[in-house]
Amino acid sequence: MLIRLGFEIAYRFLQPTPMVVMLDIHGSRSHDIVDLQPLSTWPLLPTRQFRDAFGNTCTRLVAPAGLLMLTADAVVRDSGLPDRQAPDAMQMPVEALPDETLVFLRASRYCETDVLMQYAWDRFGHIPPGWARVQAICDHVHEAIEFGYHHADPTRGALRALEEGRGVCRDFAHAAVALCRCMNIPARYCTGYLGDIGIPPVDAPMDFSAWFEAWLDGDWYTFDARHNTPRIGRVLIARGRDAADVAISSTFGPNTLERFQVWTDETRQPLLAAPGEAAGLALAG
């Protein structure tokens, strides 16, 4: 199947301001890109790309005073299959874990394993280690947190999400990641596109999504505590320890977000014009 995806984001700045944005499709999906209008700016600005410590593509630029628009559009080939399932996948003992997975066992900005350790072992210590334990964590987080866009809070970590019982997709991911790490299961935070493919349409604006991956039986497997069911059509943008590592934009000065539109839909057509192009041109004018 083919998926049409992209975004149109506009910021307003008081003065020239350096930025780092993380909006490119992850390199692991580059071979699936069928058609691409890469990240572009209005007004046209010089940009420079680099790879961060987790292999994500980052773009540096200096936003001018006034309006800045960021846009991209792509068609990506996808298997059309739901998230891979491996119910028999086993948890590896810590001493057998690859060195590169150990960073995903440690506490991070939004995943406070030190204060959640007892909470996790009280609830999941009796669950057989492996897939069943990760799924039990997802089930618990799915039930413990109420989803709502009005619950968004960029300062909330896993502990507060579980205490308050509310949040957005990043909070579900942070809580599940933290609890997995408490149980000695490497877990990493993921962000990307996830459209309403294979499910009834959702009456809410499209947004980027957050999920996580857990290391079991020598491989990374996708889990999603918010939806808590295998989904079709995930397209990764970035991975890291938590949301602090994969912010879509880091601005080094004050600004106002004026427009945010994301699209992710099944398609049979090549790129013609971005779904938000007409509105974007009006805003730019």
Side-chain angles (χ1 to χ4, degrees):
M1 66 180 293
L2 298 178
I3 301 174
R4 175 84 176 272
L5 51 82
F7 58 85
E8 190 173 86
I9 306 172
Y11 303 86
R12 190 170 296 276
F13 294 87
L14 299 175
Q15 60 193 26
T17 303
M19 293 183 71
V20 177
V21 300
M22 199 177 297
L23 289 163
D24 285 74
I25 296 169
H26 193 268
S28 62
R29 295 299 302 267
S30 60
H31 62 284
D32 293 324
I33 297 173
V34 175
D35 203 353
L36 176 66
Q37 293 177 1
L39 175 67
S40 62
T41 67
W42 186 94
L44 185 63
L45 299 172
T47 62
R48 180 169 68 83
Q49 289 192 331
F50 69 95
R51 292 287 179 91
D52 69 7
F54 300 102
N56 305 312
T57 301
C58 307
T59 302
R60 297 183 65 172
L61 58 97
V62 177
L67 187 72
L68 170 68
M69 293 184 60
L70 303 174
T71 63
D73 200 11
V75 173
V76 173
R77 182 178 293 106
D78 190 82
S79 69
L81 299 175
D83 300 325
R84 184 169 52 128
Q85 303 288 288
D88 296 327
M90 296 302 298
Q91 180 175 338
M92 299 177 67
V94 173
E95 62 271 21
L97 291 170
D99 297 344
E100 61 271 18
T101 67
L102 296 180
V103 67
F104 300 109
L105 282 180
R106 299 171 183 161
S108 57
R109 166 69 177 83
Y110 294 108
C111 299
E112 311 97 327
T113 55
D114 49 349
V115 292
L116 284 168
M117 192 69 67
Q118 194 62 53
Y119 179 102
W121 279 95
D122 287 347
R123 286 161 178 79
F124 311 112
H126 67 287
I127 306 293
W131 187 277
R133 181 173 280 176
V134 179
Q135 186 57 58
I137 288 171
C138 289
D139 293 343
H140 176 76
V141 171
H142 184 75
E143 292 298 323
I145 300 176
E146 176 189 70
F147 177 84
Y149 288 111
H150 58 290
H151 296 323
D153 180 347
T155 67
R156 184 190 292 119
L159 176 63
R160 273 184 55 208
L162 290 166
E163 288 179 339
E164 296 173 1
R166 60 187 182 185
V168 291
C169 57
R170 61 178 264 157
D171 299 298
F172 287 79
H174 285 149
V177 164
L179 294 173
C180 282
R181 292 177 185 172
C182 288
M183 303 306 296
N184 297 327
I185 303 167
R188 60 189 186 185
Y189 181 97
C190 301
T191 186
Y193 296 93
L194 178 61
D196 302 330
I197 299 173
I199 64 168
V202 176
D203 185 20
M206 185 63 64
D207 198 350
F208 295 117
S209 189
W211 59 89
F212 76 100
E213 295 172 343
W215 180 265
L216 298 170
D217 253 354
D219 203 358
W220 290 104
Y221 290 92
T222 296
F223 291 87
D224 186 336
R226 181 207 161 180
H227 298 104
N228 206 27
T229 188
R231 292 287 298 271
I232 297 170
R234 295 184 199 273
V235 179
L236 182 69
I237 292 176
R239 299 184 181 106
R241 294 167 298 180
D242 58 31
D245 289 331
V246 298
I248 63 169
S249 66
S250 300
T251 57
F252 300 90
N255 65 88
T256 302
L257 179 65
E258 294 206 352
R259 180 175 178 79
F260 185 88
Q261 183 180 7
V262 176
W263 51 89
T264 313
D265 301 291
E266 187 175 0
T267 185
R268 297 181 183 276
Q269 301 295 326
L271 294 183
L272 296 172
E277 182 175 348
L281 291 175
L283 178 64

